[in-house]
Amino acid sequence: MATQALKCERHGEATRLTCVECGKPICPKCAVRTDVGLKCEADAKGVELSKETLAMLRPSRTPLYLGVAGIGVLLALIIFGLTRGGGDGETNVAQLPAVGTWTPSPDLVSIRGTTTAVVLKDGRALAIGGGVGQQAVAAVEVFDPNSGVWSATTPMNNPRRGHQATLLGDGRVIVAGGIHEGELLSSVEIFDPASSRWTTVAPLSVPRLGNTLTLLNNGNVLVTGGTSAENAAGTGGNQTIRPDATAEVYNVAANRWTTTSGAMSTPRFEHTATALDDGRVLIAGGQGPPIAGVAGALASTEIYDPAVDSFRKSNDMGDARFNHTALKLPDRTVMVIGGAGGQNGDTSLSTAEVFNPGDGSWTNVGALTGSRSGHIAAVFPDGRVVVAGGESITRGNRRSLNTAEIFALDRREWRSAGQMNCPRSEASAALLGDGSVLVVAGDFAAPGQQPDPKGCADRYRP
């Protein structure tokens, strides 16, 4: 005869179990095992179990050990996958699908290795000057994002490479400094897209290379640091760089350069300058004055305030770096990425930090999965940041990369953004009106080889 199903008085579940002491129905949830059998919780209180019973009731640790071991193996596999590149800058990103796509665009009409790209107000992109080895070029080309075609336009009056360029408020483009045939340049030119003409304007107070060029909120232009002609002994070849601390401002309306009332607190070369929303400019990192013949990386930062025309020190970054990138994010913070550092400035970095203009603090955010210096970076309207190319540097040995990564600040997560078709460093990038990023030219570097100039262009769509 079938046993009648009972109902647990505490949990209301059907059961065939009863307390050996009071006979009440109990279910597995409330049954307590004792030496004399199963009891309800009330009758089991105060009962001392034997060592044998405790041994039976105590959960086995074997599953725990197996679980911990399994997790350890899984973590080891993940770490191995992330670090399998051996520190050469092309370590694998976590095995997630790459974000976005790369499409090859037509090459530049003329190869020029490093160049400077600026997006015009009509949406076209301008590729200005550059160089093939030590030979600077004056060539300028325009990219039409609709047709995807490059076309030559009026060349600059002076060939130059290593120069800086920025878009003025009136839609013209200013180009300053650089180097040609081993000589640093103080010359400055302005391009008018309406007439496709270059006009030579007032020169810098000193020739500069490795400086910054930043548009201020009042329409004027700030130049900081670099190396000047008197310190340049060899910037056209493999000589020592001696950073400069001077700065000057170009008054566009008056066509006049004026040295700032105060110099930077530290001489800097290959640093960054990022305009903040309140009109100030954040100066970060760079190569500092040489110590024992070596110009090391700087962690120091300072802020230029146009209201008082001078600089004041700010908080140090977590890592000293130069030849890095810096971007203002939609939330008004500034993100610096990668660069070169280490004790002798001969190692590329994978770290990234964010500067808060409100309190001057720096916060480390997720590190790149591979180190890189001399890369490009662009920020999309939704706040995501893409980096691509650059060099992996290990004890001075350089190798150009074609890998790309994309970062979401809200998740502090780097994801693979695929690969460019053309590995290169010291390229230039332009964020086009359709939300794509155009990466232009650059040099291919490999250990033991001279840099090979590239005229290729790649377009990334997230």
Side-chain angles (χ1 to χ4, degrees), residues 216-232:
L216 302 176
N217 283 358
N218 60 10
N220 293 335
V221 179
L222 172 71
V223 165
T224 67
T227 185
S228 61
E230 59 196 46
N231 293 331

Side-chain angles (χ1 to χ4, degrees), residues 160 164-166 168 173-177 185-190 199-208 211-216 219-225 246-261 304 309:
R160 64 184 80 220
Q164 301 294 320
T166 194
L168 298 173
V173 177
I174 184 171
V175 174
L185 303 175
S186 62
S187 62
V188 181
E189 305 182 47
I190 291 181
T199 302
T200 301
V201 296
L204 296 164
S205 62
V206 293
R208 297 180 189 269
N211 56 286
T212 65
L213 187 69
T214 308
L215 180 69
L216 302 176
N220 293 335
V221 179
L222 172 71
V223 165
T224 67
T246 63
E248 48 192 308
V249 174
Y250 179 64
N251 186 312
V252 178
N255 185 29
R256 181 178 65 249
W257 288 95
T258 304
T259 302
T260 57
S261 59
Y304 172 76
D309 191 35

Side-chain angles (χ1 to χ4, degrees), residues 260 273-274 294 311 446 460-461:
T260 57
T274 309
V294 177
F311 298 82
Y460 175 74
R461 292 178 173 85

Side-chain angles (χ1 to χ4, degrees), residues 60-71:
S60 171
R61 295 185 180 181
T62 301
L64 175 62
Y65 295 151
L66 292 176
V68 171
I71 292 172

Side-chain angles (χ1 to χ4, degrees), residues 90 101-104 372 374-376 386-390 400-405 417-429 437-441 456-460:
E90 284 191 301
T101 57
W102 287 95
T103 305
R372 61 184 78 219
H375 50 283
I376 66 91
V386 65
V387 297
S400 292
L401 308 171
N402 66 348
T403 55
E405 301 181 41
Q419 296 182 344
M420 297 185 294
N421 296 280
C422 180
R424 57 271 179 64
S425 54
E426 309 300 340
S428 190
V437 174
L438 182 71
V439 182
V440 186
C456 51
D458 285 294
R459 199 167 175 179
Y460 175 74

Side-chain angles (χ1 to χ4, degrees), residues 396-418:
N397 288 323
R398 303 171 182 270
R399 182 164 58 85
S400 292
L401 308 171
N402 66 348
T403 55
E405 301 181 41
I406 192 165
F407 180 77
L409 184 60
D410 57 347
R411 297 190 299 273
R412 295 195 176 187
E413 174 189 71
W414 287 99
R415 287 274 301 275
S416 169

Side-chain angles (χ1 to χ4, degrees), residues 198-354:
W198 286 93
T199 302
T200 301
V201 296
L204 296 164
S205 62
V206 293
R208 297 180 189 269
L209 175 71
N211 56 286
T212 65
L213 187 69
T214 308
L215 180 69
L216 302 176
N217 283 358
N218 60 10
N220 293 335
V221 179
L222 172 71
V223 165
T224 67
T227 185
S228 61
E230 59 196 46
N231 293 331
T235 43
N238 293 319
Q239 299 111 341
T240 301
I241 298 295
R242 296 180 177 87
D244 192 277
T246 63
E248 48 192 308
V249 174
Y250 179 64
N251 186 312
V252 178
N255 185 29
R256 181 178 65 249
W257 288 95
T258 304
T259 302
T260 57
S261 59
M264 292 187 293
S265 62
T266 303
R268 301 175 188 272
F269 177 84
E270 288 191 339
H271 51 295
T272 56
T274 309
L276 305 175
D277 281 359
D278 60 10
R280 298 176 301 159
V281 179
L282 172 68
I283 313 297
Q287 288 189 55
I291 299 176
V294 177
L298 297 171
S300 64
T301 71
E302 47 194 299
I303 292 180
Y304 172 76
D305 188 345
V308 294
D309 191 35
S310 63
F311 298 82
R312 68 171 178 80
K313 291 183 178 180
S314 188
N315 295 320
D316 288 358
M317 295 181 289
D319 286 299
R321 64 185 81 224
F322 64 92
N323 202 14
H324 53 283
T325 52
L327 299 164
K328 185 174 70 175
L329 303 181
D331 64 359
R332 302 183 179 183
T333 61
V334 176
M335 186 176 188
V336 297
I337 308 164
Q343 185 174 359
N344 299 313
D346 59 358
T347 303
S348 52
L349 305 176
S350 63
T351 56
E353 308 178 46
V354 170

